[in-house]
Amino acid sequence: MTTVLGCIADDFTGATDLAGLLARSGVRVSLRIGVPSEPPTDPAAFEVIALKSRTAPVVEAVAESRAALKWLQAAGAQRFFWKYCSTFDSTAEGNIGPVAEALMQDLGTDQTIYCPAFPENGRSIFMGNLFVGCQPLAESPMKDHPLTPMGDSDLMRLLKPQVTKPVGLADRLTVARGARALAAELAALKSRGVAHVVVDAVANSDLEVIAEACRNMKLMTGGSAVAMPLPACYLADGTLSPDAPKVRTPKLGTKTIVLSGSCSAMTNKQVADYTSRGVPAFQLDPLALAENGPQKALDWLAKQDLEVAPLVYATANPASVRAAQEKLGVAGAGEIVEATLSACAVAARDRGARRVIVAGGETSGAVTKALGVTQLDIGAEIAPGVPWTYCHSGGHEIALTLKSGNFGSETFFSEAQTKLEFL
Ligand code: ADP
C-alpha cells in the first residue's frame, strides 16, 4: 500500500482527532508519534504524524514538519495535509504560516488553502473571520489562552505577518456556488500570485465542496474537519482503491485498566459515574505520592482483578488541585501524577491488561511514552474525536484509548469497554 494522503499535525490530540475523522471512512489510518526514525515499511492509505510543534520555536517547528514531510513522501504520499488547531492557535511569529510556506517550497507548489472550520464543534469562518460558537475568535475564551492568546478574528490578518507571499480569501459566496466555482476562484487567485487562501466554511456541506475542489492540491491546511470528506473523494475518483486495507479490529484479551489524570469538569463526572457502578477504584493523592511514592497504588493494583476494569485516578475538583499545586507547584504535581499513572499502566500491562483507557491529554502523552508506543492504528470511534487505537507495547498488541479533557459523555469509561465487546 502506498500512502494516499500524508498528514502532519502540530499536536498529539489534534492528530488523534484528525486520524479518527479519516478512519470514519473505514479505511486504515495509522498515527505515528513523532517522525519515525525508520523508513516506512507498512504504510497505511492515510498516515498521520503527530508533532509537538504548536508552541515550539519557529525554526524547530519548520524543521520537524519538513522531516515529517520527507517520511511521508517516502511512504509514497503525493498529497499532504497540515493540521493545526480549529482556533488557529499561533503567535504572530508563527507557526502555521512558516510551516505551510516551508512545506510548499519543498513540494514545489505555489498555492495552499487555510480552513480551520469545524462546524460540528462550533468553529466557522465567514468573510475570513473565525467564530467560536456565536463569538468572534478574539472575543471567545481563546483571547485569554495562556500560550497562544488570539487577539484578532481575521484569519488573513493573522496569517499575513507569518508568511512572505500574498494572502487572499475565497469567501462563502464562492463556496456556496460549488466545487467548480471554488476551483475557478482559486485558479484566478493563483494567477494573481495569491499563495495563501483562507477559505470560508460555515457548514459540513461547505467542507465537502472545499475537499472536492482541493483534493488534488499538493498541500491543504486546516483543522481536522475539512479533511473528513477526503477519503470519500479519493474512493470516488479511484485515487484510493476500494480494496485498500480497512480499519482493523483485532481480538484482544479482556483484562482492562482505566487511568484518569484529567481534572476537567467532564472527567470528574466520568469518574463519578464509573465509581458509582461499584468498580474497584484507587484515588491518587499528589501530596501522599510526593511523600511516599507510588508503591501503595501499585500494591493495590497488584491485588485487583483486571477483568473488572479497575480505575486508578488523580481526577479531583479544582480546590483539591489548587491545594496540591500550591504545595508541589503546577508542574511538580502534574509530573508526580503522570509518573504514577504511567507506572500503573506498565504494571497492568505486565499483568495481562490488553485494554488501556486513559483520560487526559498530557496524561496520555506520558502513558504512551511509558508503554513505548510510537505507532497506533485507528479503530472504532467511542465518542466524537476519541477512537480506540491498536498498538504494540512490551511485545503485546494492546487496545488503547486516549481521551483528552472534556471529550466523551458521562458514561465514557464503560461505553469504551462496551464498544470493544460489540466489534
Ligand atoms: P486534560 O486533557 O483534562 O487537560 P491533562 O492530562 O492534559 O488533562 O492535564 C491534567 C494535568 O493535571 C496532568 O499533568 C495531571 O498529572 C495533573 N493532575 C491530575 N490530577 C491532579 C491533582 N489531583 N492535583 C494536581 N494535578 C493533577
Side-chain angles (χ1 to χ4, degrees), residues 261-264 267 284 286 314-316 320-321 324-325 330 333-335 337-338 359-364 403-406:
S262 160
C263 296
S264 72
T267 309
L284 300 174
T315 306
S320 321
V321 173
Q325 289 175 336
V330 174
E335 276 161 24
V337 168
E338 285 166 31
E362 289 300 318
T363 310
S364 294
K403 181 199 84 76
S404 72
N406 281 314

Side-chain angles (χ1 to χ4, degrees), residues 263 282-297 313-338 340:
C263 296
F282 187 94
Q283 182 168 20
L284 300 174
D285 169 8
L287 297 173
L289 287 174
E291 214 156 283
N292 309 315
Q295 201 51 47
K296 201 169 161 198
Y313 67 104
T315 306
N317 61 37
S320 321
V321 173
R322 260 195 310 277
Q325 289 175 336
E326 269 164 27
K327 288 252 164 67
L328 305 169
V330 174
E335 276 161 24
I336 255 173
V337 168
E338 285 166 31
T340 307

Side-chain angles (χ1 to χ4, degrees), residues 199-263:
V199 185
D200 279 354
V202 299
N204 273 346
S205 53
D206 294 337
L207 300 177
E208 282 165 21
V209 167
I210 297 166
E212 173 66 22
C214 302
R215 65 178 198 275
N216 282 325
M217 274 185 150
K218 281 192 179 159
L219 178 69
M220 287 173 68
T221 88
S224 54
V226 72
M228 190 167 44
L230 288 173
C233 294
Y234 296 146
L235 281 165
D237 70 10
T239 303
L240 185 61
S241 150
D243 310 329
K246 301 283 177 287
V247 164
R248 292 179 324 120
T249 48
K251 290 278 167 250
L252 299 171
T254 50
K255 290 185 177 166
T256 305
I257 181 76
V258 184
L259 302 163
S260 181
S262 160
C263 296

